[in-house]
């Protein structure tokens, strides 16, 4: 019987447009399926794992298709909905689908072959022709047979070893070999079982009597097994060996003896990497405002697919989310709960797991590769087996990466704190905004989208006001809690009167002392980390600069170094000025580290901690700090904008915003919107219990319009002032922005290239193409940067105009003289 010849279009995680056609070997016709991973050759030697997009019978016309090497998955790991979502993202954000795939899949699911070096069987063992470094490699190969590139680098002490390997190949010493490795390993644990004959109570009693007389340690371990297995409880449990051993001191000899006697047996089993708790019976009592909001959301969802919940801080939005999640789970739907920061997932997850137990899953980049694959598989396959029961996630909590999980029954997407800029991916393609992508994912999957914020983004509120989205308001805090009293400390006046104590106004010091004296906690917000923001010579104004970036170095006291926050470059602090030799070198400005050091002088009995990027690098660092502050082990917590992300602390009496002026003076059209959002969100952490909280804003300009709006909690005034400016100057939401950035090491070549590309864009868009201009920080990691900003009308030609920008950039990149210039297109930059 003649077999059908099949071909497959494969998606590879590469920045190359389109799909690649491969031939399916006849023996794989029944194995290869759409959405499954296959191993394919790419280029002369490389192997990659790709995703099957389509299976068909049409051979390529311009080339002979290579064969698929092997199939990695029995079942698809993504579905048709994911492919459509990725393709939309590729089209909207002007990137390849392969780049979306590269971002979407967990690293352990993207396999690429690793180049390995092996001995050439024809080598004549003539080591005399080799130099010292080549000899080291040959000697290592004699011992280990195979070496990776990184291993050769360690052996030779060379950072770049390709020339060395090239020489060894030319001397017929080595050959290169490609191997594909799958880094994912399921978690396997050893379990202990009791011999079946001891199911008989008399046999078990006899065993107890025997070991009690001869081996008390064995008796203890046996008793612990009976306890952990729940033998006399309605439901028996499997006993993990590690759990059994942990319960007793020095138990290994006793365990081995019981195994040798045939009392215990051992078996291995795959288990989940996560702990799963049972839900508690947590009934939520809703305020009249929350009940009304729930009814309005239901009504809005009957007419709109997207609804904005505009609720002031501490108005009980999370309880509303929980109620809606329960409703959608009862309908058999999945729910995605998006958060702007990994820091928030710990608190929110604790709350959700009280209600949903093992049905609530978490997904974010702080998980290791194996953990991420486990969550992905749970969603893709409808659950995973663990300890005799099936764990199936109905609600997933996570930041923007959670958007990409392979949902099949998505019913509701919640975008909490939707105004946050961290929803926008900035550093690599696709440069997507998770808030906007969630709207399209909801449309694609038929799910409703609920956005929540006390300070919505201007664009979101505009969509709600123009009835594109539904709008529901909550204007009262939950449980009758009073909004905080917001006071402003005039830093200029206090400096003149000499009432400032270091960086703290007399008003803030007074309120902090009052709060601490009655057992309340204090939050201090300073949106700069480090000790001193700059070092400056009093005589000649010299300041230490980064060698790689156009920024001043920030002093970090805990490492006693000057550090660049862009590239990580470090330098020892100077004793004298290297320009003029003066010893009048002073530190200016202050970051979170300096505040942490100075506070004990004023509050020697207080427990003080800091929450910023430097203190939260470890996997569970956020959790520890948040838990310690929640349990009142910390009296004063100093932090950057992490403090503004919707954290719920019950005992905060005072919030201090130490430098409001820094936020108001940023050269960006969103500066005032962001300053209002940050100050309002940080202020919302105060007084979330019965007693009213106090917020002290320190500013050189206490009568600034935005500060007054924060004091009055007048979001509408801020919105009206900003929306008028946006309309007048052609900014979002009235126009779409596309930023084209060019990067190169040579500033003159970059300027010439940017001028050339800007001219071609001006021919298409006239004066709506602005620039090119250097950004405020023109050089990062020795790459200079210039930006061109294109403003596009929101009309039927938007998609076509974006494609024109992309085509112009592609045409520009093909010109030989601009070959080394990197071009980055950012749609809807933030």
């Amino acid at each position: 019987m003649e077999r059908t010849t099949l071909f497959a279009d494969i998606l590879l995680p590469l920045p190359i447009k389109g799909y690649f056609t491969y031939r399916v070997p006849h023996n794989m016709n029944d194995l290869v399926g759409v959405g499954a991973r296959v191993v394919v050759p790419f280029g002369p030697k490389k192997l990659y794992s790709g995703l099957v997009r389509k299976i068909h019978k049409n051979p390529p016309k311009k080339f002979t298709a290579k064969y698929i090497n092997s199939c990695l998955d029995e079942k698809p790991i993504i579905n048709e909905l994911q492919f459509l979502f990725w393709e939309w993202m590729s089209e909207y954000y002007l990137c390849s689908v392969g780049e979306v795939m590269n971002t979407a899949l967990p690293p352990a699911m993207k396999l690429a072959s690793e180049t390995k070096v092996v001995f050439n069987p024809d080598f004549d063992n003539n080591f005399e022709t080799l130099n010292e470094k080549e000899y080291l490699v040959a000697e290592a190969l004699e011992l280990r047979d195979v070496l990776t590139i990184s291993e050769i680098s360690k052996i030779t002490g060379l950072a770049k070893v390709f020339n060395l390997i090239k020489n060894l190949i030319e001397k017929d010493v080595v050959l290169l070999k490609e191997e594909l490795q799958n880094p994912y390993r399921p978690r396997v644990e050893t379990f202990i079982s009791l011999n079946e004959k001891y199911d008989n109570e008399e046999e078990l009693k006899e065993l107890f009597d025997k070991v009690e007389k001869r081996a008390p340690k064995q008796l203890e371990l046996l008793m612990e097994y009976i306890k952990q297995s729940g033998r006399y409880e309605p439901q028996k449990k499997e006993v993990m060996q590690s759990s059994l051993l942990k319960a007793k001191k020095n138990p290994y000899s006793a365990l081995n003896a019981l195994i040798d006697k045939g009392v215990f047996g051992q078996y291995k089993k795959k288990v989940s990497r996560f702990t799963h708790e049972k839900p508690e019976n947590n009934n939520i009592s809703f305020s009249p405002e929350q009940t009304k909001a729930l009814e309005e959301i239901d009504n809005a969802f009957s007419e709109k697919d997207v609804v904005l919940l505009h609720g002031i801080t501490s108005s009980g939005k999370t309880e509303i989310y929980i109620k809606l999640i329960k409703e959608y789970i009862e309908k058999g739907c999945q729910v995605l709960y998006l958060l702007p920061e990994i820091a928030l997932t710990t608190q929110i997850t604790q709350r959700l797991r009280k209600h949903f137990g093992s049905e609530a899953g978490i997904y974010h980049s702080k998980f290791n590769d194996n953990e991420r694959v486990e969550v992905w598989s749970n969603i893709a396959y409808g659950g995973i087996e663990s300890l005799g029961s099936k764990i199936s996630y109905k609600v997933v909590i996570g930041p923007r990466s959670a958007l990409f999980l392979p949902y099949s029954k998505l019913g509701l997407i919640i975008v909490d704190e939707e105004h946050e800029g961290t929803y926008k991916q900035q550093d690599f393609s696709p440069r997507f905004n998770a808030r906007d992508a969630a709207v399209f994912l909801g449309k694609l999957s038929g799910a409703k989208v609920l956005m929540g914020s006390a300070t919505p983004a201007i664009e979101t509120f505009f969509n709600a006001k123009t009835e594109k989205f539904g709008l529901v308001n909550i204007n009262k805090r939950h449980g009758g809690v009073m909004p905080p009293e917001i006071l402003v400390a005039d830093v200029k006046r206090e400096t003149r009167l000499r009432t400032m104590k270091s960086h703290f106004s007399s008003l803030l010091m007074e309120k902090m002392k009052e709060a601490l004296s009655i057992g309340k906690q204090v939050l201090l917000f300073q949106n700069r980390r480090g000790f001193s923001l700059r070092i400056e010579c009093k005589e000649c104004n010299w300041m230490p600069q980064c060698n790689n970036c156009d920024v001043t170095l920030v002093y970090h006291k805990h490492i006693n170094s000057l550090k660049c926050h862009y590239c990580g470059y470090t330098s020892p602090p100077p004793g004298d000025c290297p320009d003029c030799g003066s010893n009048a070198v002073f530190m200016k400005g202050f970051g979170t580290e300096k505040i942490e050091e100075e506070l004990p002088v004023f509050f020697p009995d207080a427990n003080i901690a800091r929450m910023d990027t430097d203190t939260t690098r470890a996997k569970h660092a956020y959790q520890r700090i948040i838990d310690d502050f929640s349990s009142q082990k910390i009296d004063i917590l100093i932090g950057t904008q992490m403090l503004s992300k919707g954290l719920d602390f019950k005992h905060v009496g005072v919030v201090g915003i130490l430098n409001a002026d820094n936020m108001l003076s940023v050269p960006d059209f969103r500066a005032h919107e962001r300053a209002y959002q940050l100050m309002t969100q940080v202020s919302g952490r105060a007084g979330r219990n019965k007693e009213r909280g106090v917020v002290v804003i320190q500013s050189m300009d206490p009568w600034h319009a935005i500060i007054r709006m924060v004091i009055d909690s007048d979001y509408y005034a801020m919105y009206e002032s900003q929306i008028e400016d946006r309309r007048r100057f052609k900014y979002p939401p009235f126009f779409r922005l596309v930023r084209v950035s060019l990067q190169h090491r040579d500033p003159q070549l970059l300027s010439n290239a940017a001028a050339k590309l800007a001219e071609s864009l001006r021919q298409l868009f006239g004066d709506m193409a602005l620039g090119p201009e250097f950004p405020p920080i023109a050089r990062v990691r020795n790459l200079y940067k210039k930006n061109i900003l294109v403003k596009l009308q929101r009309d039927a030609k938007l998609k076509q105009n974006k494609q024109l920008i992309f085509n112009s950039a592609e045409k520009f990149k093909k010109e030989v003289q601009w070959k080394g210039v990197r071009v980055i297109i950012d749609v809807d930059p933030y």
Side-chain angles (χ1 to χ4, degrees):
M1 181 179 170
E2 193 176 329
R3 293 190 179 184
T4 307
T5 300
L6 297 178
F7 296 86
D9 292 341
I10 308 296
L11 176 62
L12 296 174
L14 301 170
I16 305 169
K17 284 278 182 182
Y19 298 88
F20 300 88
T21 303
Y22 288 83
R23 185 168 172 179
V24 181
H26 289 307
N27 62 347
M28 290 189 196
N29 278 8
D30 297 329
L31 298 175
V32 175
V34 173
R37 289 175 304 156
V38 291
V39 175
V40 294
F42 187 79
K45 292 180 180 178
K46 273 283 185 185
L47 296 174
Y48 282 96
S49 63
L51 286 165
V52 179
R53 179 67 182 98
K54 184 182 176 184
I55 298 171
H56 55 84
K57 299 177 183 178
N58 307 318
K61 294 177 181 177
K62 295 182 180 179
F63 60 91
T64 303
K66 295 179 181 179
Y67 280 92
I68 291 172
N69 280 20
S70 61
C71 185
L72 294 173
D73 303 307
E74 293 179 10
K75 300 177 186 177
I77 63 162
I78 75 162
N79 53 40
E80 179 65 17
L81 186 143
Q82 300 317 113
F83 275 124
L84 294 173
F85 181 51
W86 293 4
E87 286 160 357
W88 167 83
M89 191 172 279
S90 161
E91 182 184 272
Y92 186 87
Y93 290 103
L94 302 178
C95 63
S96 70
V97 188
E99 287 173 296
V100 183
M101 173 190 172
N102 194 40
T103 295
L105 284 185
M109 282 186 161
K110 297 174 295 192
L111 312 183
S113 60
E114 184 177 12
T115 302
K116 301 208 171 178
V117 176
V118 296
F119 254 134
N120 185 344
D122 297 329
F123 178 50
D124 59 6
N125 290 327
N126 184 9
F127 290 99
E128 293 178 4
T129 61
L130 308 182
N131 64 32
E132 182 188 354
K133 299 293 185 186
E134 292 167 352
Y135 181 81
L136 285 173
V137 176
E139 187 180 43
L141 279 171
E142 281 192 315
L143 298 170
R144 291 156 69 176
D145 296 328
V146 179
L147 292 173
T148 64
I149 301 296
S150 58
E151 285 170 342
I152 291 173
S153 184
K154 285 179 185 175
I155 290 164
T156 60
L158 299 174
K160 296 178 180 178
V161 294
F162 292 104
N163 285 336
L164 174 68
I165 294 168
K166 183 184 172 190
N167 292 339
L168 286 167
I169 292 169
E170 288 172 354
K171 292 177 182 180
D172 293 325
V173 180
V174 301
L175 295 172
L176 296 183
K177 171 181 163 183
E178 291 291 327
E179 282 189 8
L180 198 73
Q181 291 186 329
N182 187 350
Y184 174 67
R185 296 288 179 271
R187 182 183 170 195
V188 177
E189 286 284 350
T190 301
F191 287 80
I192 300 297
S193 61
L194 186 65
N195 192 313
E196 288 180 2
K197 80 173 187 177
Y198 297 114
D199 287 345
N200 183 302
E201 287 300 317
E202 287 185 14
E203 291 277 0
L204 184 63
K205 186 176 182 302
E206 190 177 321
L207 174 65
F208 277 142
D209 291 340
K210 193 183 294 182
V211 294
E212 185 177 16
K213 293 171 186 173
R214 299 178 185 175
K217 288 279 185 186
Q218 292 176 29
L219 176 65
E220 285 180 18
L221 202 62
L222 194 56
M223 294 290 288
E224 183 62 32
Y225 174 87
I226 298 296
K227 178 184 171 185
Q228 290 192 23
S229 67
R231 180 185 177 96
Y232 301 111
E233 294 173 15
Q235 193 169 0
K236 290 184 180 180
K237 302 169 192 170
E238 292 181 280
V239 178
M240 209 179 289
Q241 180 174 295
S242 58
S243 173
L244 188 64
L245 294 175
K246 197 184 291 181
K248 295 296 171 185
K249 192 175 181 181
N250 300 322
Y252 295 97
S253 57
L255 176 65
N256 291 332
L258 288 168
I259 291 170
D260 291 341
K261 290 175 184 176
V263 175
F264 281 159
Q266 291 175 306
Y267 63 96
K268 292 187 181 294
K269 194 172 182 179
K270 289 182 185 178
V271 296
S272 173
R273 286 181 161 82
F274 303 102
T275 55
H276 297 101
E277 304 117 16
K278 290 184 178 179
E280 299 173 13
N281 186 16
N282 272 290
N283 294 318
I284 303 171
S285 57
F286 290 101
S287 67
E289 290 77 22
Q290 287 174 310
T291 304
K292 184 185 175 189
L294 277 164
E295 291 171 1
E296 289 179 3
I297 289 167
D298 285 338
N299 293 335
F301 274 152
S302 64
E303 297 177 8
K304 311 279 184 187
D305 291 327
V306 184
V307 172
L308 170 63
L309 176 60
H310 179 205
I312 64 168
T313 55
S314 197
S315 58
K317 295 187 287 293
T318 306
E319 285 82 2
I320 290 172
Y321 299 152
I322 290 168
K323 173 70 173 170
L324 288 168
I325 291 168
K326 284 183 177 177
E327 290 177 6
Y328 277 85
I329 287 177
E330 286 168 5
K331 293 177 188 175
C333 296
Q334 296 167 315
V335 178
L336 169 59
Y337 193 134
L338 282 178
L339 293 160
E341 287 271 4
I342 295 171
L344 269 178
T345 58
T346 50
Q347 247 198 4
I348 295 295
T349 302
Q350 286 170 356
R351 293 178 71 177
L352 291 187
R353 281 192 168 160
K354 288 179 181 177
H355 295 272
F356 304 107
S358 61
E359 291 185 333
I362 317 166
Y363 186 80
H364 56 65
S365 59
K366 288 269 181 170
F367 282 171
N368 65 42
D369 290 352
N370 289 322
E371 289 170 333
R372 291 167 79 178
V373 171
E374 185 177 314
V375 178
W376 187 284
S377 302
N378 190 304
I379 302 298
Y381 304 140
I384 58 168
E385 292 292 329
S386 180
L387 299 179
S389 61
K390 191 174 185 180
I391 306 296
S392 180
Y393 295 144
K394 301 294 193 304
V395 53
V396 175
I397 309 123
R400 56 178 185 253
S401 58
L403 265 179
F404 295 109
L405 287 165
Y407 306 101
S408 56
K409 297 179 181 178
L410 199 57
L412 176 66
I413 302 172
I414 295 167
V415 186
D416 197 11
E417 307 296 346
E418 64 80 32
H419 64 277
E420 284 287 350
T422 43
Y423 277 124
K424 171 74 174 177
Q425 182 159 287
Q426 308 275 8
D427 299 328
F428 51 87
S429 193
R431 291 172 171 80
F432 69 100
N433 190 313
R435 177 193 66 207
D436 301 338
V439 173
F440 184 81
L441 181 61
K443 181 181 177 182
L444 200 61
S445 55
K448 300 295 184 183
V449 180
L450 179 64
M451 298 185 183
S453 177
T455 54
I458 297 284
E459 294 90 331
T460 306
F461 200 71
F462 176 81
N463 285 332
K465 292 285 281 182
T466 54
E467 299 186 356
K468 183 178 179 181
F469 298 167
L471 177 62
V472 176
N473 292 296
I474 311 179
N475 299 317
K476 287 187 180 179
R477 280 189 153 197
H478 181 59
V481 175
M482 299 262 302
E485 179 187 10
I486 302 177
L487 308 170
V488 185
D490 187 339
V491 175
K492 189 186 288 184
R493 179 175 176 275
E494 289 216 22
T495 303
R496 191 174 65 249
L497 295 175
R498 298 186 179 180
T499 55
M500 291 287 291
K501 293 183 179 178
S502 183
H503 306 292
F504 312 105
S505 63
S506 59
L507 177 61
L508 178 58
M509 292 293 283
E510 178 193 333
K511 296 300 178 184
M512 288 171 69
K513 285 174 183 173
E514 287 177 8
L516 293 171
S517 68
I518 57 172
K520 291 290 181 182
Q521 293 170 293
V522 175
L523 280 178
L524 294 179
F525 171 71
Q526 166 63 356
N527 209 18
R528 293 285 188 276
R529 63 190 173 99
F531 187 84
S532 175
L533 302 186
R534 67 186 187 278
I535 290 177
E536 188 174 336
C537 173
K538 192 175 182 180
E539 299 297 326
C540 68
N541 299 115
W542 169 86
M543 288 183 285
Q545 301 281 323
C546 175
N547 283 1
N548 310 312
C549 311
D550 286 343
V551 292
T552 54
L553 297 174
V554 176
Y555 178 62
H556 287 252
K557 190 166 184 179
H558 74 287
I559 57 172
N560 191 32
S561 289
L562 298 168
K563 188 174 182 180
C564 174
H565 288 174
Y566 287 84
C567 72
Y569 170 81
T570 58
S571 172
D576 299 322
C577 174
D579 271 14
C580 69
S582 168
N583 61 2
V585 177
F586 295 99
M587 295 183 183
K588 295 199 172 183
F590 61 99
T592 51
E593 194 183 11
K594 189 172 186 182
I595 299 163
E596 182 185 29
E597 183 183 270
E598 290 186 346
L599 276 175
V601 175
F602 306 109
F603 303 101
D605 299 325
N607 292 317
I608 299 163
R610 174 165 53 98
M611 186 164 75
D612 57 24
T613 309
D614 296 324
T615 62
T616 55
R617 294 187 192 280
K619 185 174 180 179
H620 300 293
Y622 287 119
Q623 177 97 39
R624 282 196 299 272
I625 295 171
I626 289 168
D627 288 349
D628 287 349
F629 195 70
S630 297
S631 58
Q632 293 185 279
K633 292 177 184 175
I634 298 169
D635 300 311
I636 304 174
L637 181 62
I638 308 139
T640 55
Q641 59 182 316
M642 292 178 184
L643 297 179
S644 70
K645 311 285 185 183
L647 295 167
D648 187 14
F649 301 122
K650 300 295 182 189
H651 307 288
V652 175
V654 171
V655 167
I657 299 173
L658 298 180
N659 192 343
D661 306 313
N662 271 355
M663 295 179 271
L664 294 164
S665 57
V666 179
D668 188 288
F669 76 93
R670 286 194 172 94
H672 285 184
E673 175 194 5
R674 286 176 181 156
Y676 177 89
Q677 289 166 342
L678 260 176
M679 285 190 272
T680 301
Q681 291 288 343
V682 173
S683 300
R685 303 314 109 208
R688 296 174 77 91
N689 217 322
K690 294 294 181 184
E691 294 174 34
R692 191 180 189 190
V694 175
V695 178
V696 178
I697 300 173
Q698 295 189 164
S699 173
M700 301 284 278
D701 183 8
W703 293 99
H704 193 287
I706 291 294
I707 292 176
R708 293 290 122 187
M709 291 169 190
V710 172
I711 292 170
D712 298 335
S713 298
D714 197 344
Y715 173 83
Y716 291 92
M718 187 278 294
Y719 171 79
E720 290 299 336
S721 70
Q722 294 301 301
I723 204 73
E724 187 52 44
D725 287 346
R726 305 275 184 97
R727 183 184 285 108
R728 188 183 316 141
F729 297 110
K730 297 184 172 63
Y731 280 109
F734 303 102
F735 279 71
R736 291 279 194 206
L737 301 181
V738 178
R739 183 172 63 208
V740 183
S741 300
L742 294 90
Q743 293 180 346
H744 198 271
R745 289 180 178 272
D746 182 344
Q748 187 56 55
L749 177 66
L750 175 68
S751 293
N752 295 340
K756 173 73 174 173
L757 182 55
E759 184 54 40
S760 67
L761 290 172
R762 262 191 288 276
Q763 288 173 9
L764 294 169
F765 302 104
D767 60 2
M768 289 294 99
L770 309 175
E773 295 289 344
F774 284 113
I777 299 169
R779 179 177 60 114
V780 174
R781 295 185 179 91
N782 283 322
L783 283 174
Y784 289 89
K785 184 177 181 179
K786 271 200 162 182
N787 293 331
I788 303 163
L789 192 67
V790 184
K791 296 179 178 180
L792 301 176
Q793 290 191 20
R794 296 178 55 155
D795 55 22
K797 290 185 178 180
L798 178 62
K799 182 177 172 182
Q800 178 186 333
N801 286 334
K802 279 163 55 183
Q803 193 60 46
L804 286 174
I805 295 171
F806 180 81
N807 293 342
S808 295
E810 289 297 296
K811 183 181 177 183
F812 167 84
K813 285 191 279 187
K814 288 175 183 174
E815 294 184 29
V816 177
Q817 73 230 62
W818 316 126
K819 189 177 179 182
V821 178
R822 188 183 178 200
V823 180
I824 299 166
I825 300 176
D826 190 356
V827 178
D828 301 336
Y830 208 79

